[in-house]
């Protein structure tokens, strides 16, 4: 009998012993890997730092905020029903964005979705309702600052309504971002963002968070109080000290986890009154520049609020505690 035959015979006689030994070895290896994983994995520590007091969506860039009690927190920002944060954009006919910086009265325009219809409302304007889905409309190449994006045109009725409302001598149009269209890649503007992040029409990030205390601190320095609406956040937090959000590198709210990327550098849009649509180009921006030029990279842009990316999606609720995550 050859050597191979001997081995087969031995295995046949001792099959149960061999299999038992193999099973024991596999089990020990598994236990070793589990032990190694548990030993080397850092312990997650949650420290309560505040509570969510407001959730806001701005469906149209520079448009009126929609306050909600609960919202889905997705990779590209907050979602409530058919409304998604900054997924609609006003543009010129050649595709350049139009915001409250050029047309401050845009902040008074509300955009909602009801029963499969897109609804627009504004002061001294009749309500406009058009079909939300208009798949036969053109896809338009457009730009948000220096970044190329795309959007589905919302039609001539919407264009005429917005052009009349803004009393513009040039036609404006509204586009809607759809998932298969070209999105912004924030890392093209700010290298601190991961390269796989993408957004529709925000200035930079899917989430902007700020605290009520930071706005209260600002108001102690102003002649006329401002509100959080002037700063267009996604999430507002209370029960914390002013500007502590600057230190929340990783936070958890319910099952949602957010990672801080960079401070929100403020611009002239903060000087548009969200109640009147009047722009002053001075306050509160001038005052912020006296004490909040805290990011050397953003030399002329004072920081108020923080930009976050979404590391774990889920549902947010007003009243939920905010936890700082450390390891």
């Amino acid at each position: 009998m050859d050597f191979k035959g001997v081995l087969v015979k031995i295995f046949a006689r001792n099959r149960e012993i061999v299999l038992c030994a193999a099973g024991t070895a596999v089990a020990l290896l598994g236990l070793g890997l589990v032990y190694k994983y548990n030993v080397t994995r850092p312990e997650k520590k949650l420290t309560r730092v505040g509570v969510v007091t407001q959730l806001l969506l701005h469906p149209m860039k520079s448009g009126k905020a929609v306050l909600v009690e609960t919202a889905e927190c997705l990779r590209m920002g907050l979602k409530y029903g058919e409304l998604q944060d900054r997924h609609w954009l006003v543009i010129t006919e050649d595709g350049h964005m139009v915001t409250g910086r050029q047309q401050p009265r845009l902040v008074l325009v509300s955009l909602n979705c009801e029963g499969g219809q897109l609804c627009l409302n504004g002061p001294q304007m009749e309500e406009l309702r058009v079909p939300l889905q208009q798949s036969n409309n053109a896809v338009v190449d457009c730009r948000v600052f220096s970044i190329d994006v795309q959007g589905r045109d919302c039609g001539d009725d919407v264009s005429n309504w917005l052009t009349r409302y803004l009393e513009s001598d040039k036609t404006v149009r509204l586009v809607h971002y759809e998932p298969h269209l070209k999105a912004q890649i924030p890392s093209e503007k700010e290298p601190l963002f991961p390269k796989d992040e993408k957004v529709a029409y925000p200035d930079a990030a899917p989430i902007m968070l700020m605290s009520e205390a930071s706005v209260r601190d600002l108001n102690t320095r102003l002649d006329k109080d401002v509100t959080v609406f002037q700063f267009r956040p996604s999430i507002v937090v209370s029960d914390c000290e002013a500007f502590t959000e600057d230190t929340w590198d990783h936070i958890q709210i319910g099952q949602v986890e957010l990672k801080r990327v960079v401070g929100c550098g403020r611009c002239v849009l903060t000087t548009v009154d969200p109640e009147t649509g009047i722009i002053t180009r001075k306050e509160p921006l001038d005052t912020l520049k006296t004490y909040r030029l805290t990011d050397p990279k953003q030399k002329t842009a004072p920081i108020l609020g923080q930009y976050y990316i979404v590391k774990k999606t889920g549902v947010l609720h007003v009243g939920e505690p905010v936890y700082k995550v450390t390891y």
Side-chain angles (χ1 to χ4, degrees):
M1 181 181 296
D2 59 11
F3 182 70
K4 181 179 178 181
V6 172
L7 287 178
V8 170
K9 190 172 182 179
I10 293 172
F11 179 80
R13 289 178 179 175
N14 301 279
R15 185 169 181 273
E16 290 185 3
I17 296 172
V18 172
L19 290 176
C20 182
T24 303
V26 170
L28 289 172
L29 178 62
L31 287 171
L33 290 173
V34 169
Y35 175 77
K36 182 180 179 181
Y37 177 76
N38 286 333
V39 168
T40 59
R41 185 187 183 191
E43 183 181 354
K44 183 178 180 180
K45 180 182 178 183
L46 299 180
T47 305
R48 189 182 184 280
V49 291
V51 62
V52 176
T53 50
Q54 292 184 73
L55 296 170
L56 302 95
L57 282 84
H58 299 83
M60 184 176 77
K61 188 173 181 67
S62 285
K64 196 167 188 176
V66 177
L67 275 80
V68 296
E69 290 295 311
T70 183
E72 294 178 74
C73 188
L74 307 178
R75 288 288 302 272
M76 293 183 74
L78 298 188
K79 182 177 186 292
Y80 178 79
E82 296 291 338
L83 294 177
Q84 288 186 261
D85 190 68
R86 294 166 174 93
H87 270 52
W88 283 264
L89 175 70
V90 180
I91 60 170
T92 61
E93 285 196 294
D94 60 357
H96 288 87
M97 71 174 187
V98 178
T99 72
R101 299 167 182 86
Q102 305 88 29
Q103 293 283 359
R105 291 179 67 245
L106 268 180
V107 303
L108 305 179
V109 175
S110 63
L111 185 153
N112 271 289
C113 298
E114 295 176 4
Q117 291 187 311
L118 178 70
C119 309
L120 289 175
N121 282 281
Q124 287 79 55
M125 294 291 289
E126 73 286 359
E127 181 181 64
L128 178 68
R129 288 176 175 256
V130 297
L132 178 59
Q133 302 297 334
Q134 300 190 54
S135 57
N136 292 327
N137 287 3
V139 170
V140 180
D141 293 324
C142 40
R143 289 173 74 81
V144 173
F145 296 106
S146 60
I147 306 298
D148 292 327
V149 289
Q150 291 181 315
R152 175 84 63 185
D153 189 88
C154 293
D156 290 340
D157 289 344
V158 173
S159 173
N160 293 336
W161 191 96
L162 284 168
T163 303
R164 283 192 293 114
Y165 170 74
L166 295 175
E167 299 176 346
S168 175
D169 57 349
K170 294 183 179 180
T171 300
V172 297
R173 305 195 69 84
L174 185 70
V175 295
H176 176 220
Y177 177 79
E178 297 174 357
H180 63 281
L181 300 180
K182 181 178 175 62
Q184 287 191 87
I185 307 299
S187 62
E188 292 180 7
K189 239 184 346 184
E190 172 50 73
L192 292 175
F193 282 93
K195 294 188 183 301
D196 64 340
E197 286 294 320
K198 63 180 184 178
V199 292
Y201 307 130
D203 282 2
I207 299 292
M208 199 276 281
L209 177 148
M210 65 186 305
S211 70
E212 290 181 352
S214 298
V215 178
R216 283 199 302 270
D217 181 275
L218 171 61
N219 282 333
T220 65
R221 307 162 193 263
L222 297 173
D223 294 331
K224 181 183 176 182
D225 284 0
V226 295
T227 68
V228 293
F229 296 103
Q230 207 125 340
F231 304 100
R232 312 179 69 77
S234 313
I235 302 171
V236 181
V237 177
S238 68
D239 199 20
C240 60
E241 297 296 320
F243 311 115
T244 51
E245 62 266 35
D246 297 358
T247 66
W248 299 344
D249 291 336
H250 184 180
I251 58 174
Q252 181 170 327
I253 307 170
Q255 296 301 310
V256 173
E257 292 193 34
L258 306 174
K259 192 75 186 286
R260 188 178 72 85
V261 179
V262 68
C264 180
R266 294 303 178 168
C267 69
V268 71
L269 189 59
T270 60
T271 71
V272 178
D273 188 324
E275 297 298 321
T276 65
I278 295 173
I279 189 168
T280 67
R281 300 190 180 275
K282 291 189 175 295
E283 294 295 358
L285 189 60
D286 286 352
T287 296
L288 280 171
K289 287 180 178 180
T290 65
Y291 74 110
R292 287 297 296 170
L293 292 171
T294 55
D295 184 349
K297 291 183 179 179
Q298 304 186 60
K299 296 179 181 179
T300 61
I303 304 300
L304 189 62
Q306 296 290 322
Y307 282 133
Y308 285 81
I309 57 173
V310 181
K311 299 302 291 182
K312 185 178 180 183
T313 61
V315 179
L316 296 173
H317 302 273
V318 169
E320 284 185 308
V322 179
Y323 295 97
K324 184 176 180 177
V325 178
T326 53
Y327 289 95

